[in-house]
């Protein structure tokens, strides 16, 4: 079904962090960009379509006026907006936004750090773009707040427009509606350490549409597709919910360990899951319009021997190729459909 | 043994450890480790100390990485504590010290949510990143591959709180179970074992953190084949740390609580050599790639610290002492006893 391709070597190994791989396909240039976080550095590599040419760049975490900091980066992700693409980095100190190729930093937001270290860690985690009624980038924090930044079409005039205070536990992941259809009301879903999911509508003032309660497990990765929330949990389970009503469509006993990454291919409804159990699985979601039900079936499993998966992403909207990273691994492993 | 445990569980040192703080740098941890190793009349020279440190680091990496659920790192610590308590069960004053710390651990960590434990685990894994030193006992037991990576089995019991993968349940809009499907999970998993105990006494169930040496075996670590990882290892040590001053202050506070035992004329210290012969040890010291040598932090007494006489005395004692060699014949047994004790 899928065949393993030649891996892309990266300058340093991937850290054990949720959703530790971001992929940006640039169709016009026949290039694909990848980012993988290693401690206080983001490894960026751009790969040519023929798989023969690679170029590398490293971005460092920032701390106030110090250009290169030892503070740990928690997540790096591209945010695709209609007018521009920004690369967002979240760390223990704040949020950095770069132009998509990582060449120029356009914005820095410092987190509130207490004077003396408290028992709770401070960091930002969870990155997603929203494009309804304006262009926004949402970033989560360890206090449970979701920061909403308003993004202009170009330039550095980015402002913090709103702070959403609904979660009480550290944010783990934030996602945006990935289907191209405009019919879905819910724009953004945020998840936290306790497993609580919040469903939002974007705009000048974000509106909370629904709260899906935790069932007892931490939720580490979420996706939103065609009004369906897909959540990956620490128990190894994947659950599908209706975003607006919270009704459970499906429960999948998917993995034997904590799930670290999920991704959806919006044009085909394929779902990718990666976990600490060293397995990557492909699933297929389908909606039955008459019965309003959603089905999920297992399609394929790949075992990355002795590697705890920490990042997994499709490389195209159809899901004909995907890439995977693992803790302590200095390569991005790729697979293509045969 | 009593000396090492008494020093390790010293009140001041423990108070420092329990404060909220960042992960130690590799240099800082090695320095603390050296201090602890020299807390008794035991002495190790550079090569043996490096080897001991490698062994302990890789063993702990193995334990943290293989934890089925993040909260299990606490059970690993409890296994360590149970073993320590067993060593000093006949010395009431030290026993009470250890017991008190055990209670503090339980109080501080038992109710931490799973997400927080995962963050702690992820942070610890950052410390161990890119370390692939091969350990003989791990290679023999097939828990480590020849490339230094640990084996992650796709079989055995799933963690407590996880279901065996393979089942998909789909529901209709009103919540009724509509369809059930199974898929091949690609492994041979079994039901979870019962949850280990988080009380002061109890069956921890988890084997990680228990004595690796329950069967007597020779112990070695291999330096060859680690060149790829050593490059990034060296780079990390060389990068300027803007928090270096903070770190030195922390270390100075920690050192204040750690007394070094001085060997007097009448009481001869004993030297531990982790290699089979003295010659091998010397050779290992010469051959060890420089990028894999651990750097020590040399604490210079500052204006403020000089006023603390005790601290100045301890810092003065930080220099390596000339080892007093024991006769080689009983080295093997002493070595194993040390290994049992320290792991």
């Amino acid at each position: 079904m899928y065949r393993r391709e030649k891996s892309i070597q990266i300058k340093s190994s991937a850290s054990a962090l949720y959703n530790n791989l971001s992929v940006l396909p640039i169709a016009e240039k026949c290039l694909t960009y990848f980012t993988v976080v290693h401690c206080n550095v983001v490894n960026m590599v751009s790969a040519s379509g023929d798989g023969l040419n690679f170029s590398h760049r490293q971005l460092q975490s920032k701390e106030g006026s110090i250009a290169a900091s030892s503070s740990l980066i928690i997540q790096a992700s591209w945010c695709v907006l209609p007018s521009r693409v920004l690369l967002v980095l979240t760390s223990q100190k704040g949020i950095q936004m770069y132009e998509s190729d990582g060449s120029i930093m356009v914005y820095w937001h410092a987190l509130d750090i207490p004077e003396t270290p408290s028992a709770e860690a401070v960091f930002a985690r969870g990155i997603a773009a929203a494009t309804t009624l304006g262009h926004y980038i949402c970033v989560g924090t360890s206090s449970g707040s979701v920061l909403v930044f308003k993004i202009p079409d170009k330039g550095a005039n980015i402002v913090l427009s709103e702070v959403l205070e609904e979660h009480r536990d550290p944010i783990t992941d934030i996602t945006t509606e990935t289907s191209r259809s405009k019919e879905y009301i819910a724009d953004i879903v945020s998840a936290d350490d306790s497993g609580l999911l919040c469903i939002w509508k974007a705009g000048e003032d974000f509106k909370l549409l629904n709260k899906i309660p935790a069932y007892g497990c931490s939720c580490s990765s979420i996706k939103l597709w065609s009004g369906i929330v897909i959540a990956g949990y620490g128990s190894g389970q994947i659950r599908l919910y209706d975003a607006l009503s919270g009704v459970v469509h499906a429960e999948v006993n998917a993995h034997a360990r904590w799930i670290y990454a999920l991704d959806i291919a919006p044009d085909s409804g394929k779902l990718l899951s990666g976990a600490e159990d060293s397995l990557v699985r492909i699933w297929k979601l389908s909606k039955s319009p008459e019965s309003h039900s959603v089905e999920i079936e297992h399609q394929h499993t790949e075992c990355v021997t002795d590697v705890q998966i920490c990042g997994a992403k499709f490389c195209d909207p159809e899901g004909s190729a995907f890439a995977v990273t693992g803790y302590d691994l200095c390569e991005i492993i790729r697979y293509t459909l045969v | 043994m009593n000396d090492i445990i008494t020093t390790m569980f010293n009140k001041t040192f423990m108070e420092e450890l329990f404060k909220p703080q960042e992960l130690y740098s590799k240099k800082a941890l090695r320095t603390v480790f050296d201090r602890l190793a020299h807390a008794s009349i035991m002495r190790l020279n550079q090569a043996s100390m490096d080897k001991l440190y490698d062994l302990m680091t890789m063993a702990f990496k193995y334990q943290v990485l293989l934890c089925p659920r993040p909260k299990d790192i606490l059970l690993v610590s409890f296994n360590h504590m149970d073993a320590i308590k067993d060593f000093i069960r006949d010395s009431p004053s030290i026993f009470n010290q250890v017991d008190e710390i055990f209670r503090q651990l339980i109080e501080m960590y038992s109710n931490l949510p799973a997400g927080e434990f995962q963050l702690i685990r992820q942070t610890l894994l950052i410390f161990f990143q890119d370390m692939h030193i091969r350990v003989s006992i791990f290679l023999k037991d097939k828990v480590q591959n020849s490339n230094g990576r640990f084996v992650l089995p796709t079989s055995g019991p799933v963690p407590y709180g996880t279901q065996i993968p393979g089942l998909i349940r789909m529901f209709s809009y009103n919540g009724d179970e509509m369809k059930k499907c199974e898929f091949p999970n690609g492994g041979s998993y079994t039901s979870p074992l019962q949850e280990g105990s988080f009380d002061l006494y109890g069956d921890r169930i988890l084997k990680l953190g228990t004595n690796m040496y329950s069967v007597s075996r020779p112990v070695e670590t291999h330096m060859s084949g680690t060149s790829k990882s050593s490059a990034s290892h060296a780079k990390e040590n060389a990068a300027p740390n803007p928090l270096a001053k903070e770190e030195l202050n922390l270390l100075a506070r920690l050192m204040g609580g750690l007394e070094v035992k001085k060997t007097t004329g009448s009481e001869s210290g004993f030297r531990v050599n982790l290699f089979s012969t003295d010659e091998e040890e010397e050779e290992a010291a010469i051959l060890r790639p420089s990028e894999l040598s651990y750097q020590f932090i040399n604490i210079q007494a500052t204006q403020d610290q000089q006023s603390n006489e005790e601290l100045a005395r301890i810092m003065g004692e930080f220099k390596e002492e000339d080892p007093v060699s024991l006769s080689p014949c009983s080295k093997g047994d002493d070595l194993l006893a040390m290994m049992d004790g320290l792991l």
Side-chain angles (χ1 to χ4, degrees), chain A residues 32-109:
Chain A
T32 309
Y33 286 1
F34 301 85
T35 57
V36 183
V37 176
H38 169 93
C39 304
N40 61 332
V41 156
V42 172
N43 285 306
M44 251 185 86
V45 56
S46 80
S48 62
D50 54 11
L52 295 174
N53 294 307
F54 302 102
S55 88
H56 299 262
R57 173 177 248 148
Q58 287 189 313
L59 299 174
Q60 281 241 282
S61 70
K62 187 177 147 57
E63 182 177 341
S65 54
I66 307 170
S69 163
S70 62
S71 68
L72 300 171
I73 297 183
I74 310 294
Q75 196 177 358
S77 179
W78 274 287
C79 289
V80 178
L81 297 161
S83 51
R84 69 199 295 193
V85 177
L86 290 177
L87 174 61
V88 181
L89 269 58
T90 61
S91 73
Q92 293 175 312
K93 295 292 178 197
I95 299 157
Q96 296 159 255
M97 296 193 193
Y98 289 82
E99 294 295 359
S100 64
D101 62 357
S103 54
I104 310 162
M105 188 167 86
V106 294
Y107 185 68
W108 157 250
H109 174 94

Side-chain angles (χ1 to χ4, degrees), chain A residues 272-284:
Chain A
L272 176 63
S273 65
E276 279 179 359
D277 62 2
S278 73
L279 300 176
V280 182
R281 301 199 200 268
I282 306 271
W283 318 81
K284 181 86 165 34

Side-chain angles (χ1 to χ4, degrees), chain A residues 275-336:
Chain A
E276 279 179 359
D277 62 2
S278 73
L279 300 176
V280 182
R281 301 199 200 268
I282 306 271
W283 318 81
K284 181 86 165 34
L285 270 66
S286 50
K287 288 179 85 161
S288 159
E290 319 85 47
S291 58
H292 298 289
S293 67
V294 174
E295 293 201 1
I296 178 170
E297 60 162 354
H298 171 260
Q299 285 199 331
H300 185 68
T301 294
E302 280 292 335
C303 178
V304 187
T305 314
D306 300 334
V307 173
Q308 294 193 348
I309 310 293
C310 55
K313 280 280 195 304
F314 283 114
C315 297
D316 61 281
E318 262 293 319
S320 56
F322 65 92
V324 156
T325 56
Y327 168 66
D328 239 1
L329 210 59
C330 284
E331 55 188 288
I332 300 170
I333 305 176
R334 292 189 294 175
Y335 299 84
T336 40

Side-chain angles (χ1 to χ4, degrees), chain A:
Chain A
M1 226 211 147
Y2 282 88
R3 175 191 66 212
R4 183 163 165 168
E5 302 283 353
K6 190 158 178 292
S7 295
I8 301 175
Q9 298 302 316
I10 41 177
K11 294 290 180 199
S12 44
S13 59
S15 290
L17 296 163
Y18 303 143
N19 308 301
N20 191 5
L21 174 65
S22 187
V23 177
L24 183 71
I26 306 186
E28 324 81 70
K29 292 192 197 166
C30 218
L31 280 179
T32 309
Y33 286 1
F34 301 85
T35 57
V36 183
V37 176
H38 169 93
C39 304
N40 61 332
V41 156
V42 172
N43 285 306
M44 251 185 86
V45 56
S46 80
S48 62
D50 54 11
L52 295 174
N53 294 307
F54 302 102
S55 88
H56 299 262
R57 173 177 248 148
Q58 287 189 313
L59 299 174
Q60 281 241 282
S61 70
K62 187 177 147 57
E63 182 177 341
S65 54
I66 307 170
S69 163
S70 62
S71 68
L72 300 171
I73 297 183
I74 310 294
Q75 196 177 358
S77 179
W78 274 287
C79 289
V80 178
L81 297 161
S83 51
R84 69 199 295 193
V85 177
L86 290 177
L87 174 61
V88 181
L89 269 58
T90 61
S91 73
Q92 293 175 312
K93 295 292 178 197
I95 299 157
Q96 296 159 255
M97 296 193 193
Y98 289 82
E99 294 295 359
S100 64
D101 62 357
S103 54
I104 310 162
M105 188 167 86
V106 294
Y107 185 68
W108 157 250
H109 174 94
L111 291 173
D112 291 326
I113 315 273
E115 278 295 315
T116 48
S118 68
E120 274 117 46
V122 175
F123 56 86
R125 183 172 59 189
I127 304 167
T131 53
T132 312
L133 304 173
H135 301 163
Y136 306 95
I137 288 179
C138 302
V139 180
T141 68
S142 48
S143 64
S145 333
V146 174
L147 308 176
V148 180
F149 296 93
K150 197 163 165 129
I151 313 291
D153 281 355
K154 53 179 184 264
N157 190 21
I158 294 168
V159 288
L160 176 64
S161 97
E162 206 179 348
V163 179
L164 309 173
E165 309 269 24
E166 210 51 59
H167 294 272
R168 297 271 164 273
D169 297 280
I171 303 293
T172 45
D173 196 14
I174 307 179
T175 188
T176 191
E177 173 58 68
T178 48
S179 83
R180 298 183 212 277
S181 164
K182 297 285 177 211
E183 68 186 272
Y184 302 108
I185 305 169
D187 295 312
I188 291 278
V189 182
S190 52
D192 71 26
D193 256 355
S194 75
L196 171 70
L197 310 177
C198 289
I199 323 294
W200 308 89
K201 174 149 191 58
E204 278 296 325
D205 292 303
F206 272 53
K207 186 161 173 286
L208 178 71
L209 297 173
N210 190 17
K211 270 169 108 152
I212 297 176
Y215 77 88
C217 274
S218 183
C219 175
S220 36
S221 197
I222 29 160
K223 283 270 148 316
L224 178 62
W225 177 72
S226 304
I228 306 164
V229 176
I230 306 141
Y233 292 90
S235 59
Q237 210 178 60
I238 294 174
R239 288 192 174 193
L240 274 54
Y241 303 92
D242 178 75
L244 293 181
S245 66
V247 160
V248 180
H249 288 304
E251 281 175 18
V252 185
N253 295 341
H255 287 277
R257 293 284 189 279
W258 201 286
I259 292 176
Y260 262 60
L262 289 179
D263 197 23
I264 192 106
D267 291 355
S268 62
K270 276 194 191 172
L271 175 72
L272 176 63
S273 65
E276 279 179 359
D277 62 2
S278 73
L279 300 176
V280 182
R281 301 199 200 268
I282 306 271
W283 318 81
K284 181 86 165 34
L285 270 66
S286 50
K287 288 179 85 161
S288 159
E290 319 85 47
S291 58
H292 298 289
S293 67
V294 174
E295 293 201 1
I296 178 170
E297 60 162 354
H298 171 260
Q299 285 199 331
H300 185 68
T301 294
E302 280 292 335
C303 178
V304 187
T305 314
D306 300 334
V307 173
Q308 294 193 348
I309 310 293
C310 55
K313 280 280 195 304
F314 283 114
C315 297
D316 61 281
E318 262 293 319
S320 56
F322 65 92
V324 156
T325 56
Y327 168 66
D328 239 1
L329 210 59
C330 284
E331 55 188 288
I332 300 170
I333 305 176
R334 292 189 294 175
Y335 299 84
T336 40
L337 199 58
V338 289

Side-chain angles (χ1 to χ4, degrees), chain A residues 13 249 276 306 327-328, chain B residues 61 121 125 130 145 169 171:
Chain A
S13 59
H249 288 304
E276 279 179 359
D306 300 334
Y327 168 66
D328 239 1
Chain B
K61 178 175 184 177
R121 184 171 166 273
L125 287 176
D130 306 317
N145 295 319
R169 296 167 69 206
F171 305 91

